[in-house]
Amino acid sequence: MKPSIAAKLEHLRRRLDELDGLLAAESATRDMDQFRRLSREHAELGPLVELYNRYGQAERDIATAREMLADPEMRALAETEIEEGEARLEALEGELQKLLLPKDPNDERNIFLEIRAGTGGEESALFAGGLFRMYSRYAERNRWQVEIISESPSDLGGYKEVIARIIGRGAYSKLKFESGGHRVQRVPETETQGRIHTSAATVAVMPEVDEVSDVDLDPSDLKIDTFRASGAGGQHVNKTESAIRITHLPTGIVVECQDARSQHKNKERAMSVLAARIRDKQMREQAAKTAATRKSLIGSGDRSERIRTYNFPQGRVTDHRISLTLYRIQAIMDGDLDELTGALAAEHQAEQLAALADEASAQAAS
């Protein structure tokens, strides 16, 4: 194990001992917010330190086995124990490195999912509708709730644009790599000569902020318009100006919401989406700076990047970032995304481990 990693683990072991003392003190529950914060930290550090203790025990077992090598009668047993111990040590070190990786603070958050039809006219809108159904079915499989915030249906049953809130623990961690350009190749229902068409849609996945107030929004930077809602909703939406459009002047971000009956509810929803978009913009700008120093295949946040192709005639889905092709397009379009999301998460973890190794090497060189 690299000395820098061992030093970090020793520091965390001492911190866990310190937390044991703080949580056991008589005054621990006087400040419940502080108590909950310390309890969460203790729960996070506990498995890591327990694994590190097992690593230390494996080291001690190997040292004991090495002492047995001098005894001819015990030599064969000692060699077996050393070999098994070193394999166990390597496995434990790999697990420790994974637990040391920085956690994304947004992973457990709800998300806003935005899907927009791109090139390809009505076929693109139908594809956007198919993508929305795919993510909705995936949400069902995970027992998450899907709440449409805003929608602009197309004539044939697709979506020119749809914005939804997906509510469920870990939604962002599972879907954060879905942002980007999605392309479909298939024969449209309206195509009479059987020609394959290519069309596209864009997907944006943004973590929901805890409170709108968490994002610095100056009221003077907001232009808020009300207008009469269009589309479904009966007589009510045609008689009242309940729809809301908010423009964030510094960034030019525009959010509309007209699905709720009340103007107040539409404004509340629009502000939530606006806050998420501004936070997302800040995150993507930060990711771009990071990518300038270290190339990242996953999570670059570039919305213009074509990340995936859905080829219906060949029954395949290809994720271009990790060169993964799966020949099970119907299952995927029906929401069976675990193989895709798992592969993307594994690639991201591999990148993080490489960065951790680079950091450790740099510290050793200095």
Side-chain angles (χ1 to χ4, degrees), residues 109-323:
R109 292 180 187 270
N110 303 328
I111 63 168
F112 286 110
L113 170 71
E114 299 187 356
I115 304 174
R116 291 183 177 81
T119 56
E122 189 62 49
E123 169 63 7
S124 174
L126 287 171
F127 177 48
L131 288 176
F132 180 64
R133 179 181 179 276
M134 177 182 79
Y135 291 123
S136 297
R137 294 300 300 272
Y138 183 64
E140 286 176 18
R141 290 168 183 261
N142 285 278
R143 298 185 179 180
W144 299 335
Q145 181 184 344
V146 179
E147 175 185 289
I148 292 180
I149 300 295
S150 176
E151 59 183 328
S152 178
S154 68
D155 293 337
L156 297 182
Y159 285 110
K160 297 172 189 173
E161 175 186 283
V162 59
I163 302 173
R165 179 176 177 236
I166 296 182
I167 307 156
R169 184 168 182 174
Y172 186 70
S173 69
K174 294 283 186 70
L175 291 174
K176 63 182 173 183
F177 301 123
E178 292 301 298
S179 294
H182 295 241
R183 185 178 68 166
V184 65
Q185 295 171 325
R186 65 184 174 189
V187 179
E189 294 175 13
T190 54
E191 171 59 56
T192 56
Q193 302 194 19
R195 290 174 298 188
I196 296 173
H197 286 229
T198 299
S199 57
T202 57
V203 172
V205 174
M206 301 168 295
E208 182 182 36
V209 298
D210 286 334
E211 298 286 344
V212 171
S213 58
D214 289 349
V215 176
D216 186 14
L217 288 175
D218 188 335
S220 64
D221 289 339
L222 303 179
K223 180 172 180 283
I224 302 177
D225 299 307
T226 59
F227 59 99
R228 193 168 295 175
S230 60
Q235 294 180 335
H236 170 82
V237 295
N238 295 320
K239 289 181 178 178
T240 63
E241 294 197 340
S242 60
I244 291 286
R245 180 187 299 112
I246 303 177
T247 305
H248 185 244
L249 300 174
T251 60
I253 294 173
V254 179
V255 178
E256 289 185 3
C257 191
Q258 58 177 308
D259 275 39
R261 281 179 169 267
S262 88
Q263 187 183 107
H264 174 75
K265 188 68 176 176
N266 279 326
K267 182 179 178 182
E268 182 183 314
R269 287 180 170 184
M271 286 294 287
S272 294
V273 175
L274 178 63
R277 282 193 190 170
I278 290 172
R279 175 66 60 79
D280 178 65
K281 184 174 185 293
Q282 294 167 347
M283 287 167 57
R284 283 189 286 121
E285 287 171 351
Q286 183 59 43
K289 290 178 184 175
T290 304
T293 56
R294 177 176 180 81
K295 187 177 182 296
S296 176
L297 294 173
I298 310 291
S300 65
D302 184 356
R303 300 286 185 259
S304 64
E305 177 191 10
R306 190 189 76 199
I307 64 168
R308 193 175 296 149
T309 296
Y310 305 75
N311 186 305
F312 277 81
Q314 296 180 17
R316 63 176 168 84
V317 174
T318 300
D319 196 290
H320 304 291
R321 295 165 294 178
I322 55 175
S323 301

Side-chain angles (χ1 to χ4, degrees), residues 61-116:
D61 291 344
I62 291 172
T64 301
R66 290 192 191 283
E67 292 174 1
M68 292 162 55
L69 288 172
D71 185 342
E73 294 183 4
M74 301 295 291
R75 187 176 185 84
L77 176 62
E79 287 174 347
T80 300
E81 289 193 2
I82 290 170
E83 185 180 345
E84 291 175 352
E86 287 177 344
R88 187 162 62 251
L89 211 60
E90 185 178 348
L92 287 168
E93 184 173 354
E95 289 181 54
L96 281 167
Q97 286 187 354
K98 288 178 183 177
L99 287 178
L100 279 172
L101 293 177
K103 292 179 175 58
D104 188 332
N106 294 313
D107 271 352
E108 297 304 312
R109 292 180 187 270
N110 303 328
I111 63 168
F112 286 110
L113 170 71
E114 299 187 356
I115 304 174
R116 291 183 177 81

Side-chain angles (χ1 to χ4, degrees), residues 1 5-20 41-58 60 92 95-97 99-100 103:
M1 181 182 290
I5 293 177
K8 187 171 187 177
L9 288 164
E10 281 294 341
H11 168 73
L12 293 176
R13 180 155 59 185
R14 289 194 297 271
R15 175 58 179 165
L16 187 66
D17 289 340
E18 183 183 349
L19 289 170
D20 284 335
E41 186 182 355
H42 190 280
E44 288 174 4
L45 287 183
L48 178 63
V49 171
E50 193 273 332
L51 199 63
Y52 183 47
N53 289 337
R54 285 167 56 195
Y55 182 90
Q57 184 60 52
R60 290 189 291 274
L92 287 168
E95 289 181 54
L96 281 167
Q97 286 187 354
L99 287 178
L100 279 172
K103 292 179 175 58

